[in-house]
Amino acid sequence: MLPSTPLGIGLGYREPFRSELFLNRDSVDFLEIVAEHYLDPNPFKQQELELLAAHFLLIPHALNLSIGSAEGIDEDYLKILAHLIRKLDPPWWSEHLCFTRAGGIDIGHLSPLPYTREAVEVVCRNIETVRRQIDVPLILENISYLVTIPGSEMTEAQFIGEVADRAEIGILLDATNLYTNSINHSYDIKNFLSQLPLERIVQLHFVGGYWNNGILIDSHSHATPIEVWELMAEIIASAPVRCVVLERDENLPHFAEILTELERARQIFKFSEDKQV
């Protein structure tokens, strides 16, 4: 069943934000945390997790499940991830639609899958394995990528939609990743969205990147560009989005800039809600 709980406007938690975050806690409805930071926490990270959980709803966002690995899911990793999620009891949790491990080796980054029927089968089989350990709803995120895997039998949007429909899961649509891929791979965003089951979009991500030699880099390092704001507004007006999350990892600005972006997202979110009344 897709999550129906509206959460509002969230922030991807990063440790340098902590003091300012608590001084401005009324501006943040919930936090998204990187699950890997707390799977085997030292005393400081354990204390940090307990502090955050005492004041915010926390949504775990995992990086290394490797849901697209043909060799299946790492059961040891899955057990400690399941333990964290059960402890936090979120309305949903998220991962990336990709693979990060092959041949027993951790690749170290999010790698795109071939858009084939066989890959759909692999992902759906792995999702069933995950569900046997974690009964909290899973949503999967579209990644940004620079290399297209040859041999695809469908478009990226059709692949995402096929996995979401077959496995009956929600979609975390990263608006910045979508915009970045549309630039780097020269495809039409409206056509992409027309092939996606919009009713399965649960959450949005947004942030800004930078240009390098004609390539747009998804670096989570700059203010959100106007094109992504416009894309977010279009998606929120068309899909039952429950929340949006700002992800900022590099070139961290003053927290006032973070608050400005969160407020702009809130106005877009609120405008869409008002239209539905």
Side-chain angles (χ1 to χ4, degrees), residues 58-210:
L58 304 182
I59 302 294
H61 185 49
L63 301 172
N64 293 324
L65 183 61
S66 199
I67 199 76
S69 284
E71 64 203 62
I73 298 296
D74 183 326
E75 292 284 353
D76 291 335
Y77 173 90
L78 180 57
K79 286 178 183 176
I80 56 175
L81 177 62
H83 176 72
L84 173 69
I85 293 173
R86 282 195 292 270
K87 185 165 60 177
L88 295 177
D89 191 26
W92 66 79
W93 63 286
S94 59
E95 240 294 356
H96 301 80
L97 185 50
C98 69
F99 72 100
T100 60
R101 182 170 40 81
I105 297 174
D106 189 347
I107 299 171
H109 62 86
L110 308 178
S111 301
L113 292 163
Y115 305 137
T116 63
R117 283 181 282 278
E118 181 180 10
V120 170
E121 293 293 334
V122 166
V123 174
C124 291
R125 186 170 65 237
N126 287 340
I127 290 173
E128 284 306 308
T129 299
V130 171
R131 279 182 169 144
R132 287 195 284 272
Q133 293 280 345
I134 305 172
D135 59 3
V136 175
L138 165 67
I139 63 175
L140 287 180
E141 177 182 355
N142 60 310
I143 67 168
S144 66
Y145 54 89
L146 295 176
V147 176
T148 301
I149 306 299
S152 290
E153 299 167 339
M154 59 191 84
T155 67
E156 179 188 0
Q158 289 168 340
F159 180 77
I160 295 170
E162 183 75 8
V163 168
D165 286 340
R166 285 275 306 278
E168 297 185 335
I169 62 169
I171 296 171
L172 193 177
L173 188 61
D174 190 310
T176 302
N177 288 350
L178 173 53
Y179 172 66
T180 301
N181 291 337
S182 77
I183 296 295
N184 292 336
H185 301 283
S186 303
Y187 65 67
D188 181 71
I189 289 180
K190 290 187 182 301
N191 186 46
F192 181 101
L193 292 175
S194 72
Q195 298 178 35
L196 205 64
L198 298 180
E199 71 278 7
R200 291 196 175 277
I201 299 177
V202 173
Q203 179 177 326
L204 299 183
H205 274 169
F206 70 102
V207 71
Y210 70 95

